[in-house]
Each structure stands twice: as structure tokens, then as C-alpha cells.
Amino acid sequence: MATRRLRAFKRWMSSNGFEWSNALEFVDTPEEGISVRALCQLKEGDIVAKMPKEACLTVRTSGARQIIEDAGLGGYLGLAVAIMYERSLGEESPWAGYLQVLPKQECVPLVWTLNEVDELLHGTELHQTVQEDKALICEDWKENIFPLLDSAPSRLNPTFFGIEQYFAAKSLISSRGFEIDDFHGFGMVPLADLFNHKTGAEDVHFTASSNSVADDDVDDDNSNNDEGIADEEALAEKSSTDTTDLDAAHVENGNASDTDCLSDTGDDDPSMLEMIVVKDVSSGAEVFNTYGLMGNAALLHRYGFTEQDNPYDIVNIDLEMVIQWCSSLFSDRHSRSRVSLWRRLGYSACGDQNSEYFEISFEGEPQTELMVLLYVMLLPDNAYHMLDLSLSVARSGHESSDANLLDDNIFAIKSCNVSKRSLLTKKARDGLLALADTREGLYGLEPIEDDIARLGKCSSVKERKLYHSLMLRMCERRILQRLRHYASEPFEINNHSSSRKKLKSTKRKR
């Protein structure tokens, strides 16, 4: 279905050197927005789109480049200024035909109100993260964007550079930004961002030249390279720095004239970006890109949606929660000393010392490091002192440090060759159950059945924020249910090791 805005966008692409296969259909609906479908079967290796780098919206290509560079802004903060500036130009912007197909902002939690964040994300992995994001981005605006209005009043329209406009630009960068190359950095790539995401089901792959520096411009000042919600890791997951040997044939009016894909001339054009089919796609099917293998917390955080039965979902249990549980049984001194010994054995949690946590996989399997910590915390005093002494002697060079005696179990510390089954003592299982209950309590008093019932009555289109926040809550709580089963039935463990995506471990720089 070609709407007016799609027709205008196609005309803009044609006039700016974009090439796309006539096997692609762009569909625009009020409910789902724009998506891409296959009009006929697509074959692996087909090039279905080519995008000129100079037509991408970046700090380098924007009319605000000089303002951004004079202010010493780089990275995603600079890109946000570029987006706001081009929007302020309206129809006079070289990207007017592209900007009109973009939403004002993406429905990511970053742009929700604080009340919505507190109400909808309470207890989830995102609650504190989004609160921190909003505070950091407010500071960025005050320190870096607001001063621009005084320094360049004749060139910047204050209406388009307010804090709401900055949040909106950041949401677009988070959900639509791609890594282009070393010269352009991250930017908005028209056409490439029309392909929707589906976890683990990539149909097309975005490829970019690894380096493209203009001869007359080698300055790459990325001072003040903020990250915020759109951290480099998140955007890199959405892109690739692969280089391809394929090129496009002549395309009439922006469309492949006689073939279903853009043909191969054998020449690599470093000025172009490409979308390449990585597996066969049936006629009529939607064509998906994959932004990365990530759980629902990361998907909602960065892109504004969730997926049911997402195998990359995780739940985190904070180290501090484990310490508090242990202190309720013994003493604070006992807990801290056991954590210290656990660290000396070579173990650590995810994240950093400001935010340390353990991951519980989709199947409900706890991280090995958590199981070892519970075991150490629950050791009888005599076994603890024996291990402490053994480790001290080993470190002095009188004994091998590759293995340490732990209450009749040998742990290959350096290789982490630890049997989880041997760690699942009765007390350790009780500890996992207690931690699951404590983590569950963060969601409030309502049982999971209430969340499931509310989700069943909720519209993913009309009540998008409520729907996806409920999906996140439900999926996280189901993982905790599986953790309880794991703790209750320790010998019926699926030993499959799930891929995990860390949400909190991303370090933010300002």
C-alpha cells in the first residue's frame, strides 16, 4: 500500500541515488507503520537495496556540521543536533522527503513520562535504567544543547531545540541509527531503517565499508562522545562493517528495471551501503532485519517493542540482593567475608562495581558464578577457614593455585570447570527459592496471573506502552517461575547454554 508519504519518499530516494529492487514492496498502514514485503521469492545473496553514504543523515552531511564541530560535540549528541537542525528547516532540508516518513519520536521508554515509567516498568529490568537515562539526557541538554541557542541565535530556531525535541531525536537514534563507516560514524540511513526487526530471523543484512575518509577532511573530532540510551554496542548490533564485492546494475528511476534484484558488476563501491539477502524469503512474506540477539528488556529499551517467547530473555538478580539474603541468615560480616573469598577465587558478577548482578537465563538457569557464591556463603565455618587458608598458601607459591579444596569438591578455578549439580545442595536450593521470591516481590503484590489476564485484553496497537510493559513483566516473571523449578528439581536441568545479552553492563559516558 503506497501512501502519499511513501510516494514522496520514493521520489526523494530516486533523486538522491538510492537503488532498490522491484521485488520489494513498501507497505504503510496506520496500525503498523511502514514495513517491507517480498513481491516474489528472494534468493540468498541478492542485493535488494543500495544507499549512498552522502545521502545518509550524519554529522558530516548535515547543514549543522560547522555548528556541531565548533561546539565540540560528537557521537550521538552531535547526531541529535543534526536531526533537530534538519527538522527545523522543514521543506528546505535536503532530507525533507526522508524526515516526513519518520515518526516524531519512537515509543521507547526514554520518552515516556516519569509517571508512566514508574507505573509500567516497576520491578522490571528497565525501571532504574530508564530513570537514569532520563536524568543523564536532561543534563546533556542543559550542558550542551541549550548553550547553542545563545551562541548561534541566528541559525538555530529555539522551537526545534527544546528538551522534548532532544529526547525525540535521541529516541530516533536509539531505534534507527546505523554505524556507517569510520568517516561518517553513526547516522540515519534512509531505506535501511524501513526493515523491521525479528529476533534470530534475519532476512537481509546491512553492510558498510569499514573506512571512507574524504581526502579534504581527515578531522574526526568526537570529543564529548556521549552514549546515553543509544550506546555504541546497541547500534553496532544493528549493523555490520562487512565489505561486499557486489555492485548494482543500472536502475531506472530508483527501481531495478527488469530483474528482481540489483545485479553484480564485480566492483566494490565504497560510497554505497547495501542490504543483502542472507536467506531465501518467500513471496508475500515480510522481509526482516535483525538488530541483534537481545532479550525483551533490551528490545523495549532501545526499540520500543517486545517479542513473546523471546529465547534471549533474562532476569538479573543483583549482588546486593544476594548479600542481603545471606545477612538475614548469618551476619553482614559473614556475607562480606564470603563475597571477598569468592572474588579471590577468581569469580565476579556481571556489570561493574556500581551495578553488579547475576543473570538468570530464559530456561531459569542461574549463572554459574551465582551458584559458586551461594556455595561459598553456605560453607560451614571450618570448611570456609580451610579454603581460605588453602588459597592463601597457594598464592604464596607453596601450592598450585589451579585447584582449591572446597568441602570434598575440587574446583578448577581458572578454567571455571564447576559442576552445577555438585553446587545444588539443599541449602543452595533454598537460597535460590528465597532469591526468586525476593526478586518477584519487586513487581508488587499482584500475582502473575493478573498480568497475563491484563495482557490478553490489551491492544498492542492502541495501548502500545501498556502492552509491551506487560509483556516484559510477564516474560521476566515466567523466568523466575523456571528458576523455582530449577531449584526444586535440580536433576532435571536443561544443560543448554543460552546466549545472553547484558542490559545493565553497558557503561555510559557523557
Side-chain angles (χ1 to χ4, degrees):
M1 180 186 298
T3 58
R4 178 180 297 178
R5 67 171 183 164
L6 263 183
R7 291 192 294 270
F9 179 54
K10 287 181 178 180
R11 290 193 297 270
W12 178 85
M13 288 195 295
S14 296
S15 64
N16 282 277
F18 285 75
E19 305 168 2
W20 66 95
S21 168
N22 59 9
L24 300 181
E25 178 185 23
F26 305 113
V27 181
D28 190 5
T29 64
E31 297 81 13
E32 303 294 336
I34 300 176
S35 60
V36 182
R37 293 191 175 275
L39 287 174
C40 61
Q41 185 174 17
L42 303 179
K43 295 291 187 179
E44 180 180 351
D46 288 350
I47 300 175
V48 292
K50 277 206 159 193
M51 298 77 63
K53 292 180 180 180
E54 287 302 312
C56 298
L57 178 48
T58 70
V59 171
R60 297 287 190 178
T61 59
S62 170
R65 173 177 176 175
Q66 195 63 50
I67 297 174
I68 295 169
E69 293 182 348
D70 288 347
L73 305 181
Y76 315 113
L77 200 158
L79 180 57
V81 174
I83 293 172
M84 290 187 289
Y85 178 80
E86 297 301 334
R87 280 184 156 179
S88 74
L89 299 180
E91 291 299 320
E92 296 181 4
S93 169
W95 286 273
Y98 166 60
L99 294 174
Q100 56 91 32
V101 300
L102 296 181
K104 176 184 176 182
Q105 61 187 27
E106 292 291 350
C107 191
V108 294
L110 176 67
V111 298
W112 299 2
T113 68
L114 284 174
N115 286 338
E116 288 173 332
V117 170
D118 289 338
E119 179 182 351
L120 299 178
L121 299 179
H122 185 74
T124 68
E125 293 300 316
L126 284 187
H127 190 197
Q128 182 178 351
T129 301
V130 175
Q131 288 176 324
E132 294 171 353
D133 280 341
K134 293 177 76 70
L136 289 172
I137 292 176
C138 281
E139 291 181 18
D140 279 338
W141 180 84
K142 292 177 183 177
E143 294 177 5
N144 299 288
I145 307 301
F146 182 71
L148 293 179
L149 302 178
D150 291 331
S151 62
S154 61
R155 300 187 62 185
L156 299 182
N157 184 341
T159 303
F160 292 89
F161 287 84
I163 193 166
E164 290 184 5
Q165 288 72 32
Y166 181 53
F167 269 90
K170 293 287 284 189
S171 75
L172 294 176
I173 295 170
S174 167
S175 60
R176 293 173 177 266
F178 287 85
E179 182 181 12
I180 297 175
D181 60 22
D182 294 342
F183 174 71
H184 291 280
F186 289 96
M188 310 298 288
V189 183
L191 180 56
D193 60 8
L194 296 187
F195 293 86
N196 290 324
H197 165 90
K198 191 172 184 180
T199 298
E202 183 181 40
D203 297 318
V204 292
H205 190 68
F206 174 82
T207 66
S209 173
S210 61
N211 190 19
S212 177
V213 181
D215 292 337
D216 60 347
D217 195 341
V218 295
D219 176 45
D220 191 18
D221 179 14
N222 279 327
S223 60
N224 205 348
N225 193 11
D226 72 303
E227 294 191 12
I229 186 174
D231 54 83
E232 184 172 347
E233 177 185 356
L235 292 176
E237 282 168 350
K238 233 182 128 176
S239 63
S240 166
T241 54
D242 295 342
T243 304
T244 178
D245 293 330
L246 301 176
D247 197 3
H250 171 70
V251 178
E252 181 179 359
N253 295 325
N255 290 297
S257 55
D258 298 317
T259 59
D260 290 333
C261 65
L262 307 183
S263 61
D264 173 18
T265 64
D267 297 325
D268 178 32
D269 186 351
S271 69
M272 301 292 281
L273 305 167
E274 298 175 336
M275 300 297 291
I276 300 178
V277 179
V278 295
K279 69 178 181 182
D280 292 355
V281 180
S282 301
S283 176
E286 182 171 357
V287 185
F288 290 101
N289 186 13
T290 293
Y291 306 160
L293 302 178
M294 59 188 76
N296 279 330
L299 286 176
L300 183 56
H301 185 221
R302 296 164 182 167
Y303 307 116
F305 63 88
T306 58
E307 294 177 330
Q308 191 167 8
D309 298 323
N310 185 338
Y312 298 94
D313 265 346
I314 60 171
V315 168
N316 295 331
I317 292 180
D318 291 341
L319 172 61
E320 193 59 37
M321 184 180 292
V322 182
I323 294 174
Q324 291 175 0
W325 163 78
C326 183
S327 297
S328 69
L329 297 178
F330 304 102
S331 66
D332 185 65
R333 181 178 180 181
H334 174 103
S335 302
R336 301 293 174 179
S337 64
R338 299 303 173 101
V339 171
S340 176
L341 178 60
W342 171 77
R343 293 189 192 279
R344 290 163 56 205
L345 288 169
Y347 291 95
S348 62
C350 299
D352 53 44
Q353 291 197 359
N354 294 324
S355 177
E356 295 183 276
Y357 59 91
F358 302 97
E359 295 177 349
I360 310 300
S361 74
F362 178 79
E363 294 88 355
E365 183 177 348
Q367 201 172 323
T368 298
E369 289 79 359
L370 172 58
M371 295 303 302
V372 175
L373 178 58
L374 292 180
Y375 192 95
V376 172
M377 283 181 160
L378 295 167
L379 278 175
D381 287 342
N382 61 338
Y384 163 74
H385 291 302
M386 182 185 300
L387 177 60
D388 187 25
L389 177 61
S390 175
L391 184 60
S392 298
V393 171
R395 286 195 167 186
S396 69
H398 294 90
E399 187 176 320
S400 172
S401 60
D402 289 343
N404 296 282
L405 183 62
L406 256 184
D407 195 28
D408 297 330
N409 290 295
I410 298 296
F411 285 68
I413 298 303
K414 288 187 177 179
S415 64
C416 292
N417 183 22
V418 181
S419 169
K420 287 189 178 181
R421 179 174 296 183
S422 66
L423 301 177
L424 278 169
T425 64
K426 174 63 168 61
K427 289 183 178 180
R429 284 183 275 147
D430 290 343
L432 287 177
L433 292 172
L435 291 172
D437 289 343
T438 302
R439 180 64 182 81
E440 180 94 29
L442 298 181
Y443 299 104
L445 299 177
E446 295 180 354
I448 187 174
E449 289 75 18
D450 288 2
D451 285 344
I452 296 173
R454 291 175 65 197
L455 183 63
K457 299 175 182 178
C458 189
S459 169
S460 61
V461 176
K462 296 180 180 180
E463 302 170 283
R464 183 172 177 176
K465 296 176 184 177
L466 177 60
Y467 177 86
H468 290 294
S469 60
L470 282 173
M471 179 67 75
L472 176 62
R473 281 169 56 95
M474 183 192 70
C475 291
E476 287 183 358
R477 298 180 78 172
R478 281 181 169 169
I479 290 175
L480 292 175
Q481 287 182 331
R482 298 185 192 109
L483 174 61
R484 292 188 183 93
H485 177 76
Y486 178 98
S488 301
E489 303 290 338
F491 300 115
E492 296 181 8
I493 300 169
N494 181 358
N495 289 323
H496 170 69
S497 179
S498 298
S499 298
R500 299 184 176 110
K501 298 303 296 181
K502 300 179 178 66
L503 174 64
K504 294 182 180 177
S505 62
T506 301
K507 297 181 180 178
R508 296 182 175 83
K509 296 181 290 184
R510 300 185 60 252

